[in-house]
Amino acid sequence: MTLSIRNQFPGTVTTVTAGEAMATVRIRLDGGQDLTAAITVESVTELGLAQGSSVRALVKSTEVSLATAPVQNVSIRNQNVSIRNQLPGTVTAVATGAAMATVKIAVEGGVLTSAITADAATDLALVAGAPVVALIKSTEVSLATA
């Protein structure tokens, strides 16, 4: 199957925490970062997810926000933002149109694409070589198995 989702990262499930309807699935990406996905318990069952399962994390580029520094206080437990996933990287390219910009970011283990407004790209002064942090809500991470 071919998908239009640009951001696809292989990894391994480290934990599954099931609730009544939803579950959080923690994944160690092949690049070494941790990523959290919030998916339905039904999906966990249908995909057969458990610790050690190989998965591919999928994120649409429109769901990747950018910051110029990590959004946190002293520790991960003391964050001032609800977004669980923060992947540091370096801008490799910016393509700006009249309304939107596409930003390519080199992260450990791959390249991430973010689609943000052209105004945001200008306000953040995004250029090749600039350090950024990709912010991804756990509810925007989909999982696939082979």
Side-chain angles (χ1 to χ4, degrees):
M1 173 189 308
T2 303
L3 299 173
S4 64
I5 297 175
R6 297 180 194 180
N7 300 311
Q8 301 184 26
F9 294 96
T12 304
V13 173
T14 57
T15 60
V16 177
T17 306
E20 189 172 317
M22 297 291 292
T24 56
V25 180
R26 193 110 165 120
I27 303 128
R28 173 65 46 97
L29 300 179
D30 287 358
Q33 313 92 322
D34 289 320
L35 196 69
T36 300
I39 63 175
T40 64
V41 171
E42 181 179 6
S43 291
V44 169
T45 302
E46 288 177 359
L47 293 171
L49 299 181
Q51 185 176 359
S53 298
S54 292
V55 294
R56 184 166 291 273
L58 310 166
V59 182
K60 291 176 60 177
S61 60
T62 53
E63 301 303 333
V64 179
S65 297
L66 299 176
T68 55
V71 184
Q72 63 185 25
N73 290 330
V74 178
S75 71
I76 194 79
R77 301 269 186 246
N78 215 3
Q79 287 194 7
N80 56 6
V81 66
S82 66
I83 298 175
R84 298 290 88 189
N85 300 308
Q86 297 189 36
L87 302 176
T90 303
V91 174
T92 60
V94 180
T96 305
M100 298 296 290
T102 301
V103 182
K104 298 278 188 186
I105 303 120
V107 297
E108 289 294 326
V111 175
L112 186 63
T113 301
S114 174
I116 60 174
T117 64
D119 288 343
T122 299
D123 291 347
L124 294 172
L126 298 178
V127 295
V132 292
V133 178
L135 307 170
I136 306 165
K137 290 178 64 170
S138 59
T139 53
E140 300 305 327
V141 178
S142 297
L143 299 177
T145 56

